[in-house]
Amino acid sequence: RYRGLAALSVLVTLLTVGVGLLLPWPLKVVIDNVLGVKPIAVSWAPSLGSLDRTTILILTVCAGLVLTLLSNASTIATNYLKTRLELGIILDFRSDLFRHAERLSVAFRDQVTTGRLVYAINFEATAAGTLVMALQPLAQSALTVIGMVWITFRIDPVLALLSVTVIPILYYAIGYYATRIQPRLLQVK
């Protein structure tokens, strides 16, 4: 039922990742080509090779503005699609649970309190919808990290490998925090 909405959400997520990876590009052009003396790579922009620095600066600022607008628009679209998809899944799951609760026998209803059934319909359905929708930000973050490592590897392979060596340390630190420090903070509250 939600395949079209889910496919659109995947496309918007890919657009968000692509725009997010392009956001630092205008700053690179300003530093290298406007403030620095490095010429613009004519291979990807032959018409820009003959432009003066002021024109390059104006074009770069406009490109940065367009990329920022695209980034914000894709964030809005992602939030809209995620909310619509999540609430649709929750509504369908709650409806299924309610129909199932109506078909339960009288003997079962005597054993289980009404409050417990209402709690299950309201809150467990929400948890199921939230769990399904947690995959989108994880996928977006993973694709962004892969894209950043790939771009860094294209610029300098040694720097890319050096930056990847931090991942096991971060993984250990997050695991340490989640198992030792966070439960202690919950006990204090």
Side-chain angles (χ1 to χ4, degrees), residues 137-163:
L138 289 173
Q140 181 176 344
S141 298
L143 288 172
T144 303
V145 167
I146 290 169
M148 290 182 342
V149 169
W150 180 75
I151 290 171
T152 307
F153 191 79
R154 297 275 311 208
I155 295 171
D156 187 1
V158 175
L159 180 64
L161 291 175
L162 186 62
S163 67

Side-chain angles (χ1 to χ4, degrees), residues 84-132:
R84 185 152 177 213
L85 196 58
E86 181 177 1
L87 292 179
I89 290 170
I90 290 171
L91 178 64
D92 286 349
F93 193 48
R94 277 185 182 156
S95 300
D96 291 344
L97 286 175
F98 187 74
R99 278 192 291 276
H100 179 71
E102 286 180 326
R103 289 191 307 263
L104 292 173
S105 67
V106 175
F108 180 80
R109 288 187 204 158
D110 287 341
Q111 292 175 354
V112 178
T113 63
T114 306
R116 185 168 177 209
L117 282 174
V118 170
Y119 177 83
I121 291 171
N122 283 330
F123 295 104
E124 291 177 9
T126 303
T130 305
L131 181 67
V132 169

